[in-house]
Amino acid sequence: MITSKENEKIKYLRKLKTKKYRDLENRFLVFGNHLIEEAYKHGEIEEIFTSNPNYEGTLISNELMKELNFTQSPYDILAVCKKVNKNINSNKILMLEDVQDPNNLGALLRSASAFGFKHIIISNHSADVYNDKTIRASQGAIFHLKIERTNLIDKIKEYQKLGYKVYATDVNGSNQPQLSNKAILILGNEGRGISESILNLANETITIKTETVESLNVVIAGSILMYEWSRLWK
């Protein structure tokens, strides 16, 4: 059993709690049996650590496990996973511009996976996909998706040349878009929405008609649109 904070493996795990080191190592941590099971199915686990002697993995003390956890109620098992670039081709793409709350990002990834948007493109200023809050909110959806972080303007132009139509959410948009079978749905920042430069590139701007509220939370709006579109495509 590992009990020392100075153990090299423990030092490594602590470093992986930071985005800088996750990006450097192309590794990240997942906690709990459910997420570890999802990671295992997709071949992304490198090593498992646990404070429960009934589980398989490298045994560490309860004190170290508590220190490594992000939550107040600590999990007793964690895994080091490698980032995998999945080769998924999809006619349905979800694009996120500066969605900064990791809980929102994770929930959108979960909805995207549920409704067939298997390719996700996020802006460079969006929340970290491998933040613990994002991973937990996604409920393991990150293991089912192709996720890119890149310049959105360049990607929009690239995919429009491939025949994709781009639909950007905007309060002044249409609620009856002419839906293409090759589509990109763009959702924007929680506060300011989608930037003018992105809106100007969209083939159509779309909205969800509401009665007593001006706008919906980005997760609710995105989930409604992805669900409705998944029905129309069937």
Side-chain angles (χ1 to χ4, degrees):
M1 176 189 289
I2 299 175
T3 59
S4 172
K5 293 182 179 181
E6 300 307 311
N7 180 277
E8 290 302 317
K9 287 190 175 184
I10 300 301
K11 288 181 179 180
Y12 182 71
L13 294 176
R14 280 205 302 268
K15 288 179 179 178
L16 287 178
K17 294 181 71 175
T18 66
K19 181 181 184 302
K20 177 181 178 181
Y21 207 74
R22 289 194 295 269
D23 291 345
L24 183 66
E25 291 291 307
N26 277 316
R27 303 289 186 274
F28 61 102
L29 301 177
V30 296
F31 293 80
N33 287 308
H34 170 67
L35 290 175
I36 288 174
E37 183 178 338
E38 288 296 312
Y40 181 78
K41 288 177 185 175
H42 293 269
E44 298 189 23
I45 288 180
E46 290 199 330
E47 188 170 0
I48 292 174
F49 295 83
T50 180
S51 57
N52 187 333
N54 295 316
Y55 291 154
E56 291 186 10
T58 301
L59 194 62
I60 67 175
S61 68
N62 288 319
E63 290 73 21
L64 291 176
M65 183 61 76
K66 288 178 182 178
E67 181 186 334
L68 293 168
N69 266 263
F70 290 91
T71 56
Q72 287 186 338
S73 300
Y75 294 96
D76 60 1
I77 188 168
L78 69 86
V80 177
C81 298
K82 56 189 175 184
K83 298 180 183 180
V84 176
N85 292 322
K86 294 176 177 61
N87 185 23
I88 297 175
N89 294 315
S90 175
N91 286 339
K92 294 186 285 184
I93 298 174
L94 176 64
M95 186 173 282
L96 305 175
E97 183 187 26
D98 299 356
V99 173
Q100 294 182 329
D101 185 323
N103 288 305
N104 286 342
L105 177 56
L108 283 167
L109 295 179
R110 187 180 186 189
S111 292
S113 180
F115 301 127
F117 285 73
K118 301 298 185 184
H119 185 180
I120 316 296
I121 302 174
I122 66 175
S123 67
N124 289 318
H125 296 293
S126 289
D128 181 19
V129 173
Y130 301 100
N131 179 293
D132 180 67
K133 291 180 179 179
T134 307
I135 295 170
R136 283 189 284 117
S138 83
Q139 288 291 300
I142 63 166
F143 300 112
H144 299 264
L145 302 169
K146 176 181 180 179
I147 305 173
E148 296 182 80
R149 180 184 293 270
T150 188
N151 181 286
L152 299 192
I153 290 176
D154 291 343
K155 277 294 178 182
I156 289 170
K157 292 177 179 178
E158 175 186 332
Y159 276 93
Q160 283 176 325
K161 290 178 181 178
L162 296 173
Y164 284 77
K165 286 189 70 175
V166 175
Y167 303 83
T169 50
D170 183 73
V171 292
N172 298 314
S174 167
N175 68 336
Q176 292 183 317
Q178 300 298 309
L179 194 58
S180 169
N181 62 354
K182 296 176 74 174
I184 296 175
L185 170 63
I186 307 180
L187 303 173
N189 175 265
E190 292 91 340
R192 65 177 182 273
I194 295 174
S195 64
E196 198 69 27
S197 58
I198 297 293
L199 286 174
N200 289 337
L201 291 173
N203 298 100
E204 286 192 53
T205 56
I206 60 172
T207 192
I208 297 172
K209 187 178 289 187
T210 56
E211 293 185 6
T212 58
V213 296
E214 183 179 342
S215 62
L216 298 171
N217 169 278
V218 66
V219 175
I220 295 172
S223 298
I224 290 171
L225 289 169
M226 286 187 281
Y227 169 68
E228 286 296 326
W229 289 17
S230 71
R231 290 175 62 243
L232 292 172
W233 271 313
K234 286 183 179 178

